[in-house]
Amino acid sequence: MIINADLHIHSHYSAATSPRMDLPTLATEASKKGIPLLGTGDCLHPRWLQGIRELEESAGIFYFHPEGKGKNTNTNFVLTVEVEDTRRVHHLLIVPSISKAEELYESFRAYSRDIDSDGRPSLRLSGAEIAERARDAEALIGPCHAFTPWTALYAYHNSLKECYGDMVGYVSFVELGLSADSSYADRIGELRNLTFLTNSDAHSPYPIRLAREFNRFQVEDVSFDELKAAIKRERGRKPVLNVGFPPQEGKYNESACIRCYKHYSLNEAITRRWRCGCGGLIKKGVRDRVNELADCDGAHPKHRPPYLHLIPLAEVIGLAVHKSPGSKAVQKLWEALLAEFGSEVTVLIDASMDSIKGAHFDSNSDDRIRVLGAIRAFRESKIRILPGGGGKYGVIELKTGASEESQERVQETMVGHEPGREQLSLLDF
């Protein structure tokens, strides 16, 4: 069977998160997105874990059953948590059971001041020490958003070995983050044997945040052991697709000032000693960091699944009708498409273009035509991106033209394209 999974999110017990990040809301919204397996996030937080404990559990998977007849979210949860080490590197742990989460809590509690107050605790432990405790609890571990210039593996280390020491062999995955994709990460030789994960790191349940990146796995059933086997690529279980932002849309793709967002080449930034003319700090972008670390040509290993570049459906609709993704007009169109096709993933990936073209999802014919055109443009790679940097997202354009001023910085992005691979149809997955 094939399942879609977003394994890195946060509850309302983490800092800077929406109060709506509760289990019922997450289950409902994940179902709308087409994500049957969701990481719980924050599973070391005592109060969040207590709520998870009340769910029905089987083989390390927790099932949400909403109240009321006829309601079915089709959402399952697996225990996950993000923790921060002494170097500010963030690590994702995927945990097999409540008892193992409790073991980790007891193991970490003496090294954390905020484990009872913050769903994403800071630990006075190294990456190697955290990995050792993850191994003892039979949990999977890997670095979160590994390339971003804050709280990431390659922000503070030049290699996995520097971070994880003698435990480096236990690391089984790398989470790429919004500003990187497989074509970036496979230029670094030490990552080539690891599975790449693409997760949302969502802090709110809104359609443009939850499952904005996700993974597609081939498994026999939905269980912790099957998920573990898929991540470790054992017994025929494996990832078959990574879905995520075009890396240029990420907030830290290019080196840029964190105050005024002016972009700089690496040489310019070094010459200026990483200070912008406005006085702000120039933050090194993911693209430049990967270029520093690259030690191979980026050809993908045979086990690497395709990487499909997508943005959330609400953003696609917003681009089409020239309105904010959170506007009532966009929300109405989004809900109409979901009513017609069942989930966002179906609209963006699985439904044929003919079936979308034949749908009667809105009475406003002009908006309907624009939305259909936007979906087709995305599927046919007719988008342009002004790259992000310095903490500001990139800008996606559907039009083929661009102003003379922006032409120098706008880059064509082939959706689903990677060096050495033919362009792939969305229907291939």
Side-chain angles (χ1 to χ4, degrees):
M1 66 183 296
I2 299 296
I3 61 168
N4 301 318
D6 180 2
L7 301 174
H8 180 184
I9 68 164
H10 290 280
S11 76
H12 57 85
Y13 292 108
S14 281
T17 55
S18 166
R20 297 185 64 236
M21 293 296 275
D22 56 68
L23 290 170
T25 302
L26 287 168
T28 298
E29 297 306 315
S31 182
K32 292 177 183 178
K33 295 283 289 192
I35 307 296
L37 182 60
L38 201 63
T40 62
D42 302 358
C43 74
L44 301 185
H45 191 281
R47 293 180 64 186
W48 187 240
L49 189 61
Q50 180 57 41
I52 297 167
R53 191 181 282 109
E54 295 172 2
L55 302 180
E56 179 184 342
E57 184 271 339
S58 176
I61 301 297
F62 298 80
Y63 302 89
F64 185 87
H65 297 296
E67 296 180 1
K69 294 182 179 180
K71 295 182 179 179
N72 182 13
T73 66
N74 298 315
T75 303
N76 312 306
F77 291 92
V78 62
L79 296 172
T80 61
V81 65
E82 179 184 22
V83 299
E84 181 178 284
D85 70 21
T86 53
R87 293 292 301 276
R88 296 197 66 205
V89 175
H90 288 191
H91 309 265
L92 178 65
L93 280 67
I94 306 173
V95 185
S97 66
I98 292 282
S99 63
K100 294 300 183 181
E102 292 171 337
E103 283 182 27
L104 284 168
Y105 170 83
E106 292 298 331
S107 178
F108 290 151
R109 185 170 61 167
Y111 302 94
S112 177
R113 295 178 179 178
D114 61 1
I115 197 167
D116 290 320
S117 60
D118 194 336
R120 186 188 61 200
S122 298
L123 308 177
R124 297 188 300 276
L125 294 169
S126 68
E129 291 169 329
I130 292 170
E132 184 177 6
R133 286 161 172 79
R135 179 200 61 193
D136 292 345
E138 302 175 33
L140 300 175
I141 187 172
C144 300
H145 36 73
F147 297 97
T148 55
W150 311 98
T151 65
L153 168 74
Y154 289 117
Y156 300 104
H157 300 283
N158 290 317
S159 69
L160 288 167
K161 177 73 173 179
E162 277 188 19
C163 180
Y164 292 105
D166 292 341
M167 291 300 300
V168 67
Y170 188 71
V171 175
S172 56
F173 64 84
V174 172
E175 184 184 77
L176 298 180
L178 303 185
S179 294
D181 65 5
S182 300
S183 68
Y184 282 45
D186 271 331
R187 295 180 62 206
I188 301 172
E190 67 175 357
L191 303 183
R192 293 174 59 79
N193 194 46
L194 293 172
T195 292
F196 294 160
L197 295 185
T198 41
N199 302 311
S200 70
D201 193 6
H203 286 223
S204 77
Y206 303 111
I208 61 170
R209 296 289 180 256
L210 187 66
R212 57 186 171 178
E213 297 203 338
F214 64 90
N215 313 274
R216 181 166 280 188
F217 295 109
Q218 180 176 306
V219 292
E220 287 297 309
D221 55 53
V222 183
S223 67
F224 177 84
D225 285 343
E226 285 290 305
L227 176 63
K228 178 180 178 179
I231 291 173
K232 293 174 74 69
R233 307 190 309 278
E234 297 174 342
R235 307 193 312 275
R237 285 64 163 170
K238 60 185 178 180
V240 295
L241 183 67
N242 289 112
V243 178
F245 279 28
Q248 294 92 336
E249 197 192 358
K251 293 193 293 185
Y252 297 103
N253 182 253
E254 292 192 349
S255 296
C257 175
I258 64 173
R259 181 186 295 175
C260 73
Y261 306 115
K262 181 178 179 180
H263 289 227
Y264 291 89
S265 70
L266 182 59
N267 287 337
E268 289 172 336
I270 292 172
T271 299
R272 301 188 65 94
R273 298 184 179 181
W274 299 95
R275 283 292 171 183
C276 179
C278 76
L281 173 70
I282 301 171
K283 202 64 179 172
K284 187 183 294 181
V286 169
R287 189 184 67 176
D288 287 333
R289 183 58 172 147
V290 169
N291 285 337
E292 287 181 334
L293 296 166
D295 57 5
C296 54
D297 62 8
H300 301 290
K302 290 182 179 180
H303 70 81
R304 187 75 64 221
Y307 192 110
L308 185 62
H309 296 110
L310 286 179
I311 63 174
L313 180 59
E315 290 191 4
V316 175
I317 297 170
L319 286 171
V321 300
H322 307 293
K323 293 183 183 296
S324 165
S327 68
K328 290 183 178 179
V330 170
Q331 183 69 18
K332 180 181 177 182
L333 287 163
W334 182 81
E335 290 176 349
L337 277 166
L338 262 61
E340 183 89 15
F341 293 99
S343 76
E344 180 167 318
V345 170
T346 301
V347 176
L348 289 174
I349 298 180
D350 297 320
S352 70
M353 200 63 224
D354 285 343
S355 66
I356 294 177
K357 183 178 179 180
H360 300 285
F361 57 85
D362 190 75
S363 58
N364 185 322
S365 59
D366 288 340
D367 282 352
R368 179 176 176 274
I369 291 171
R370 291 189 187 101
V371 171
L372 290 173
I375 294 172
R376 180 178 292 279
F378 221 89
R379 291 193 173 195
E380 295 178 353
S381 313
K382 295 178 180 177
I383 63 170
R384 305 175 69 88
I385 304 177
L386 184 66
K392 185 177 182 180
Y393 285 108
V395 177
I396 291 183
E397 299 177 348
L398 292 175
K399 296 180 180 180
T400 56
S403 69
E404 189 173 321
E405 180 181 354
S406 66
Q407 197 67 272
E408 296 178 1
R409 299 199 56 77
V410 175
Q411 299 180 5
E412 291 281 2
T413 295
M414 295 296 290
V415 179
H417 177 75
E418 300 171 12
R421 280 203 174 126
E422 292 297 322
Q423 174 68 14
L424 297 164
S425 166
L426 293 169
L427 302 180
D428 289 338
F429 312 109

